[in-house]
Amino acid sequence: MVVVPSYSHQIAFQSLWAALSQRGHQVVVFTTDPIGDPSLTNLTEIDFRHTYDIFRKIDYAKLRYSHNWLSIMQDYLQDNFEAIVEEIFKHPKVRKLYAPNSGEKFDVVLAEAVITPGLYALAHRFNAPLIGVLSLPLQSSHYYHLGSPILPSHPSTWEMEDVTGFNLSLWHRIKNFIRLWRHIHYVLNHYMQRQQAIAEKYLGKGIPNVNEMEKNMSIMLVNQQEITMFVRPLPPNLIQFGGLHIMKNPAPLPNDLQNFLDDAPNGFIYVSLGTNVIMTSFPTYVLRAFYEVFASLPYKIVWKFNGQLPEKFDKIYTATWLPQQSILAHPNIKLFVYQGGFQSTQEAVHYAVPLLGIPMLSDQYGNVNRMVFLGVAKSLDITNFSVKELNSSIMDILTDGRYKERMLKVKALNDDKPYDMLKHVIWWIEYVIRHRDVSHLHTSIKHDPWYERYDMDVIAVLSIVTFVILVCALVIIYKMLKITLKCFYKRKAINIKEKTI
């Protein structure tokens, strides 16, 4: 079940569904972007593309100027995901699957572990092991359920966006600590319970708590790779993969675009801020900056753009949709200006294209920061945007060959693997099917209260004891000094009296 209405979430797993089907598994997928391949006779796709209408109400470009990611999740996305979970449970084909007398059986249930935990309950309904799948790196609430450490200021904690980093001040880390733990508390104790209520509405009151179901997932399959993320401690039941969506042979470009790119003596720049951001929603001064810079550069521009340019530019090619991998694979490409999406980052690494990141939401800050850290990218803030900054950033990358050289090294590191990634993921899924109980991969830490995980109770007791001892010592010292001074002044007074006599 991959139900987030976003193409980037869907393509991360489409090759997996196809491969499982080709291996003889009967696969039923809830998806917003069906593959629609009639040759995959073992693949049944239940189409939820109508849920895109729910998310089209959100203008991420405008929200970028007024909200951070945690507030977007709490104020906008979570209500929408509740609506999506309702849409799934009440769909006639889904109802037929989970009806008490349906007789349907599944060996395993794979559920996207983003913010639709109510769907975990279908694994309980079918008495099947539950596997979490994520097209994005894990959120902190997932790490908490897995028993991994919570790191509010570490750059791998992507939902904190641009307030994480290295060598932060104590005050900065305190603010991050409070902000992240408050959000985790909200997710686990409020949002998850709202999802629980939806699941109980359709499956009855006897289902386990969704928090416990997430905590006890057999494994989590996460679309993240070491080279493209800031590494942190991970438990054995978290299985990393990446790049399953990357084509071995990208599709041919449309003739007009192919001719446009072939006839680029200085090369070309590809610009795309993803599928969720509407470019024309940006303030006028931002769009004007893009126009001015792109028109003045000595390079051709291929721009995923949903509006009309103020005038016609022969060296700028625009379209509302573009075959991204085919463009990145073209030998004349010099730079990819992007929003920092994870799949786009993986594609840029695969095709060894230097990057200029303009992060907008979600994990994009962390992805861009990692690429900057590796020396293969520069970053710009869309809320503090100017012609000068955009132009200088592009020219710095294009005139400094080290960006391309470092990207080639990053690609070599990323490509050097001991196994085929798709076969690796399938092996783990079939491992869970074969054994069902894989609790030996789980850490017992996930069952400990938060204060025991970090020895907070021990630290509190030791701090109190140390404080009490210190206070007692200070009191004793004070009294001793008081007695000493009293004796001193008394003796001094006696000496003065004797001298006067």
Side-chain angles (χ1 to χ4, degrees), residues 186-425:
Y186 173 81
V187 171
L188 302 186
N189 296 284
H190 297 277
Y191 181 72
M192 296 286 268
Q193 301 319 309
R194 288 160 63 181
Q195 288 275 318
Q196 178 79 21
I198 297 173
E200 290 179 351
K201 174 181 175 181
Y202 292 93
L203 299 180
K205 296 286 187 179
I207 62 174
N209 188 280
V210 291
N211 273 311
E212 293 301 311
M213 284 189 275
E214 183 169 281
K215 189 181 296 183
N216 294 313
M217 282 179 173
S218 297
I219 58 174
M220 277 198 179
L221 300 171
V222 186
N223 182 33
Q224 60 186 32
Q225 297 169 294
E226 292 83 357
I227 195 65
T228 53
M229 61 174 288
F230 290 97
V231 178
R232 59 188 292 162
L234 302 175
N237 63 322
L238 192 151
I239 312 302
Q240 299 184 103
F241 69 93
L244 298 188
H245 71 289
I246 293 176
M247 305 173 185
K248 293 182 179 179
N249 297 299
L253 291 165
N255 288 336
D256 61 334
L257 181 55
Q258 182 73 53
N259 294 333
F260 180 82
L261 299 183
D262 289 345
D263 184 23
N266 295 328
F268 71 91
I269 299 169
Y270 173 50
V271 184
S272 172
L273 297 187
T275 57
N276 295 316
V277 173
I278 302 172
M279 288 286 300
T280 50
S281 292
F282 287 129
T284 303
Y285 76 90
V286 172
L287 293 175
R288 189 181 302 116
F290 279 117
Y291 299 149
E292 288 185 25
V293 172
F294 292 163
S296 65
L297 289 171
Y299 304 93
K300 285 192 170 183
I301 308 294
V302 179
W303 189 3
K304 184 179 180 295
F305 187 68
N306 62 300
Q308 293 291 326
L309 297 181
E311 59 182 285
K312 181 175 174 56
F313 301 98
D314 291 336
K315 64 178 182 179
I316 300 178
Y317 182 106
T318 64
T320 56
W321 181 89
L322 290 163
Q324 181 160 294
Q325 291 194 50
S326 301
I327 293 172
L328 293 175
H330 196 283
N332 286 341
I333 191 166
K334 299 298 181 182
L335 175 66
F336 181 14
V337 180
Y338 83 137
Q339 88 287 18
F342 205 67
Q343 280 72 40
S344 292
T345 301
Q346 292 175 339
E347 291 167 10
V349 170
H350 178 77
Y351 296 107
V353 181
L355 295 162
L356 173 58
I358 307 176
M360 298 298 302
L361 57 108
S362 185
D363 62 318
Q364 294 168 6
Y365 288 88
N367 300 334
V368 171
N369 287 342
R370 177 60 176 171
M371 294 296 102
V372 173
F373 180 82
L374 293 172
V376 300
K378 293 178 77 72
S379 178
L380 287 178
D381 181 0
I382 196 70
T383 65
N384 186 21
F385 203 66
S386 69
V387 170
K388 182 179 178 181
E389 285 184 320
L390 179 59
N391 186 75
S392 63
S393 296
I394 290 174
M395 293 308 298
D396 284 349
I397 297 172
L398 293 178
T399 56
D400 186 345
R402 290 175 296 178
Y403 285 91
K404 180 68 173 183
E405 292 172 6
R406 287 189 289 255
M407 184 60 98
L408 288 168
K409 292 180 180 178
V410 169
K411 171 180 169 57
L413 287 170
N414 189 63
D415 290 349
D416 195 354
K417 294 183 174 67
Y419 42 70
D420 178 89
M421 194 58 67
L422 180 58
K423 291 180 180 178
H424 178 66
V425 174

Side-chain angles (χ1 to χ4, degrees), residues 472-498:
C472 290
L474 290 173
V475 169
I476 293 170
I477 292 170
Y478 170 76
K479 289 186 175 181
M480 290 178 65
L481 286 172
K482 189 176 181 182
I483 293 171
T484 302
L485 289 171
K486 186 176 182 181
C487 291
F488 172 78
Y489 285 116
K490 185 176 182 181
R491 189 177 296 111
K492 187 175 182 181
I494 293 172
N495 290 337
I496 294 172
K497 186 176 182 182
E498 287 178 347

Side-chain angles (χ1 to χ4, degrees), residues 17-144:
W17 313 143
L20 287 169
S21 170
Q22 290 165 345
R23 285 178 64 84
H25 296 283
Q26 295 290 335
V27 182
V28 178
V29 178
F30 303 172
T31 178
T32 60
D33 293 84
I35 299 172
D37 185 347
S39 68
L40 299 173
T41 54
N42 290 343
L43 178 63
T44 301
E45 296 178 297
I46 301 180
D47 189 349
F48 287 95
R49 74 183 70 191
H50 65 280
T51 59
Y52 270 104
D53 294 336
I54 297 173
F55 268 64
R56 288 194 180 102
K57 302 172 185 176
I58 302 175
D59 192 331
Y60 293 105
K62 289 182 178 178
L63 287 177
R64 175 65 189 88
Y65 290 84
S66 57
H67 290 70
N68 59 47
W69 178 245
L70 296 185
S71 64
I72 289 174
M73 286 179 65
Q74 189 165 325
D75 298 339
Y76 293 90
L77 294 184
Q78 293 182 350
D79 287 341
N80 288 337
F81 276 109
E82 286 181 24
I84 286 173
V85 172
E86 287 264 11
E87 287 292 315
I88 290 167
F89 272 121
K90 69 185 184 183
H91 192 283
K93 291 183 179 179
V94 179
R95 280 183 178 272
K96 187 176 180 180
L97 288 175
Y98 68 73
N101 59 350
S102 69
E104 293 285 354
K105 294 181 179 180
F106 292 94
D107 296 320
V108 68
V109 170
L110 281 72
E112 189 174 20
V114 183
I115 42 178
T116 55
L119 298 177
Y120 300 163
L122 290 173
H124 173 75
R125 161 64 184 84
F126 297 120
N127 190 29
L130 176 62
I131 293 176
V133 295
L134 290 98
S135 61
L136 304 176
L138 286 178
Q139 300 175 72
S140 292
S141 57
H142 298 129
Y143 283 120
Y144 182 83

